[in-house]
Each structure stands twice: as C-alpha cells, then as structure tokens.
Amino acid sequence: MPRYVVERTGEALNAHGKAFKGSRILVMGVAYKRDIDDMRESPALRILELLQERGTAVAYHDPYVPAIPKTRRHSFDLASVPFTAAELATYDAAVIVTDHSAIDYQLLVDHVPLVVDSRRATAKVLRHRERIFSA
C-alpha cells in the first residue's frame, strides 16, 4: 500500500506539472488507524520514507501523534505541524494516510492545491473536488 500511494502521489504531481524533487508534501495522519495514537505498523512511516527518498520535503499533521518517536526501522526528526490555513498553503500536496475524524477535510482541500486521498476522507468535500486524487 505505501508504494502505491506514493506512485499515485507522483502521478498527481505530474498531472499538475510538478515533480517529487523539491515538492513540499504534507502527510495527514501517521497513526495506524483512525482516532488513536498507536503508530505500530503504520504505513505512514514507510510513505514518509519513500517520499523523502524521492527528494521531497515532508511534514505531517496528526492530532494524536505530536512527534514521531524513533522506531526500530525509522528515525524521523519530525513533529506534527499546525493545521491552519496559513500552514496548509505552504505545501504542494497532501497525502491522507489516516482519516482522523477531527480533521476538517474541506479546509485541507481549500488550501492545498493537490490532495491524494487513500481513505475516502474527502467524500463529503464539496469545493475544489478537482484537486482530489484517490489512491
């Protein structure tokens, strides 16, 4: 699943005339599943790693995971970024990995030019549907 999501992200970036290298990508949700703080076996860690390998600047937002702790396989020096319109506007794309119910997905789509949705979290989003790619 992580490789497929990253491939779809690349396709979506290409469709918008962007490349992985130099893009700023926000990963939405790093917990293993919705509305919890458990990161064990979360596909988000591998997605972050694959995106970094492709030359992107990555960040994440997760209301349940304020910082990513070091694991046996991964060592990220990342903390959850604020979920504000100003912060969202600084990214080229967002990838929804965990569909937390506390996230305002309309706000996300309003301010990020490209959203790759791997969880159908944007199903009720009304504006800017052309920015949404499913994965």
Side-chain angles (χ1 to χ4, degrees):
M1 179 254 204
R3 285 195 185 279
Y4 175 73
V5 170
V6 171
E7 286 174 18
R8 285 293 292 158
T9 302
E11 291 168 7
L13 284 167
N14 285 339
H16 280 83
K18 298 245 180 211
F20 274 124
K21 190 172 180 117
S23 291
R24 289 178 41 86
I25 299 181
L26 177 66
V27 172
M28 294 297 301
V30 294
Y32 178 69
K33 62 183 183 176
R34 175 191 296 197
D35 299 339
I36 65 167
D37 64 357
D38 187 353
M39 290 182 41
R40 290 176 293 168
E41 299 182 32
S42 174
L45 299 178
R46 182 67 178 137
I47 290 169
L48 283 165
E49 182 179 63
L50 290 168
L51 289 170
Q52 283 182 328
E53 287 173 3
R54 284 161 177 77
T56 66
V58 295
Y60 82 94
H61 174 77
D62 192 310
Y64 297 94
V65 182
I68 298 176
K70 185 175 180 176
T71 67
R72 284 182 287 157
R73 296 172 123 186
H74 301 96
S75 181
F76 296 104
D77 186 21
L78 296 173
S80 181
V81 298
F83 190 75
T84 63
E87 178 70 24
L88 294 173
T90 68
Y91 296 96
D92 298 303
V95 180
I96 301 171
V97 179
T98 307
D99 58 336
H100 293 304
S101 60
I103 300 297
D104 180 348
Y105 293 103
Q106 184 65 68
L107 181 68
L108 178 71
V109 173
D110 285 346
H111 295 284
V112 180
L114 171 64
V115 177
V116 177
D117 187 353
S118 71
R119 295 286 181 234
R120 295 195 35 82
T122 59
K124 294 182 181 177
V125 167
L126 300 176
R127 293 183 305 276
H128 305 298
R129 297 229 26 106
E130 73 281 357
R131 297 179 180 181
I132 303 168
F133 286 75
S134 59

